[in-house]
Amino acid sequence: MQEPVNWGILGAAKFAREQMGPAIHAAKGARLAGLATRSPDKAAGFQAFCPDLTVHDSYDALLADPAIDAVYIPLPNTLHVEWVEKAIQAGKHVLCEKPIAMQAGDIDALITLRDQSDLLVTEAYMIVHHPQWQRARQIVQDGLIGKLLHVDGVFSYDNRADTDNIRNRPDTGGGALPDIGVYTFGSARFVTGKEPQMLAANITWENGVDTTSRIVAQFPGFSYNCVVSMRMHPRQEMTFHGDKGFFKLTAPFNPQVFGEARIELHQPGLVMQTERFPAANHYVLQVQAFCDSIRNGVEYPWHLEDARGTQDMIDRAFRAARG
């Protein structure tokens, strides 16, 4: 039997405590072994489900721990590149929250370090591990909706009352596009394998961060539009529309939290088929895929180059909106 991959987490973020920490703890082939935080109260939240956890009082101390094989980084966006680089230099495999960088060009140095180190270094883009998205790509590739002509999506929530939230702060890399544009952009790229040729954007700003963005783009062979917002009632949906049918994902980004993961496939004759994925946990599947890649060489479905493509699309949207 193979030894599990020993994981450490840099920082006791709420998302790490509620989602990724439990996912690492539950995933086959993984062991949550370390946490870096100076707060005993925050550490207690992790020790509640993982009592054998070793708590380090600094990020550097965790990276220096020889027992740690891989690190998960849930730090504010502006700290990602710095600590990914330090983790690689410490010889750790790295799974970093999205967006892994604030500019596409900053990912180039991470690609170089990854290649020099022969470590698995990637962005925590969990949706590509969910069977609903793997099925979505298959539907398009198999031509079940004919020729793809249009993709549209929306991802919204309202956090205007939470003024201290890092998503509402420019100093921590906040904004709707960095937080959730990665989903509406990256999912279209993942399903189609195409990159945008033209892009236009209309962005509403508050306190130096984008709060609502409306994007129109042209990909090879199909048009695209989306809305992402931190100031609208919660909604999420992605639709892929062809000349012989269309399908939509009804809880594409936060299944189980927002609703049941479903694909509704509409075909000629008003035929509609629904495929459900009620049990899949994309966070657990992400960790298992990461460990399987490290231990068994299984191809990992999301690379730094993929993250760079999405970040480039975000960068282009900001440039287009600013003129």
Side-chain angles (χ1 to χ4, degrees), residues 70-275:
V71 294
Y72 166 65
I73 301 177
L75 301 173
N77 296 341
T78 50
L79 298 178
H80 287 174
V81 170
E82 173 188 356
W83 285 99
V84 170
E85 290 179 347
K86 290 182 178 180
I88 296 171
Q89 292 161 357
K92 311 301 184 185
H93 301 281
V94 184
L95 182 66
C96 179
E97 265 310 321
K98 68 205 86 59
I100 199 167
M102 297 305 298
Q103 300 286 335
D106 293 338
I107 302 176
D108 294 335
L110 301 182
I111 292 173
T112 298
L113 285 173
R114 176 204 63 190
D115 293 345
Q116 293 172 346
S117 68
D118 199 31
L119 295 165
L120 177 55
V121 180
T122 190
E123 184 181 63
Y125 197 58
M126 75 291 185
I127 69 168
V128 300
H129 304 278
H130 199 289
Q132 70 170 334
W133 280 107
Q134 294 164 0
R135 175 60 175 156
R137 184 164 63 170
Q138 182 185 18
I139 289 173
V140 171
Q141 292 175 345
D142 290 350
L144 296 184
I145 58 170
K147 181 182 179 181
L148 179 66
L149 298 175
H150 181 70
V151 177
D152 60 81
V154 61
F155 193 177
S156 63
Y157 58 85
D158 190 346
N159 72 349
R160 76 187 72 203
D162 190 4
T163 55
D164 291 331
N165 191 297
I166 61 173
R167 295 163 183 82
N168 283 319
R169 293 167 47 193
D171 60 307
T172 52
L177 280 177
D179 187 40
I180 53 180
V182 294
Y183 295 111
T184 52
F185 289 178
S187 61
R189 295 178 54 253
F190 174 72
V191 167
T192 67
K194 303 292 180 61
E195 303 294 343
Q197 299 167 314
M198 179 280 294
L199 188 149
N202 183 303
I203 295 178
T204 301
W205 302 85
E206 292 179 22
N207 189 37
V209 300
D210 59 298
T211 54
T212 298
S213 296
R214 305 160 189 86
I215 310 298
V216 176
Q218 182 64 46
F219 285 72
F222 66 93
S223 56
Y224 169 94
N225 68 267
C226 77
V227 175
V228 296
S229 179
M230 305 190 302
R231 297 294 183 268
M232 297 171 69
H233 184 78
R235 180 186 170 203
Q236 52 182 268
E237 186 176 300
M238 288 291 294
T239 302
F240 295 77
H241 202 150
D243 61 354
K244 296 181 180 178
F246 73 91
F247 68 91
K248 62 181 178 180
L249 296 90
T250 59
F253 309 125
N254 295 121
Q256 298 182 341
V257 176
F258 184 79
E260 182 186 54
R262 299 195 313 270
I263 292 179
E264 296 179 358
L265 174 60
H266 297 252
Q267 294 177 299
L270 298 179
V271 173
M272 195 269 280
Q273 299 176 356
T274 301
E275 300 182 33

Side-chain angles (χ1 to χ4, degrees), residues 25-96:
H25 187 60
K28 295 178 182 177
R31 175 177 173 265
L32 182 54
L35 173 71
T37 179
R38 291 191 179 95
S39 170
D41 291 340
K42 291 182 178 180
F46 291 80
Q47 291 168 323
F49 62 85
C50 188
D52 295 333
L53 191 68
T54 298
V55 179
H56 298 274
D57 62 3
S58 72
Y59 303 155
D60 288 316
L62 185 143
L63 293 181
D65 185 345
I68 299 298
D69 303 309
V71 294
Y72 166 65
I73 301 177
L75 301 173
N77 296 341
T78 50
L79 298 178
H80 287 174
V81 170
E82 173 188 356
W83 285 99
V84 170
E85 290 179 347
K86 290 182 178 180
I88 296 171
Q89 292 161 357
K92 311 301 184 185
H93 301 281
V94 184
L95 182 66
C96 179

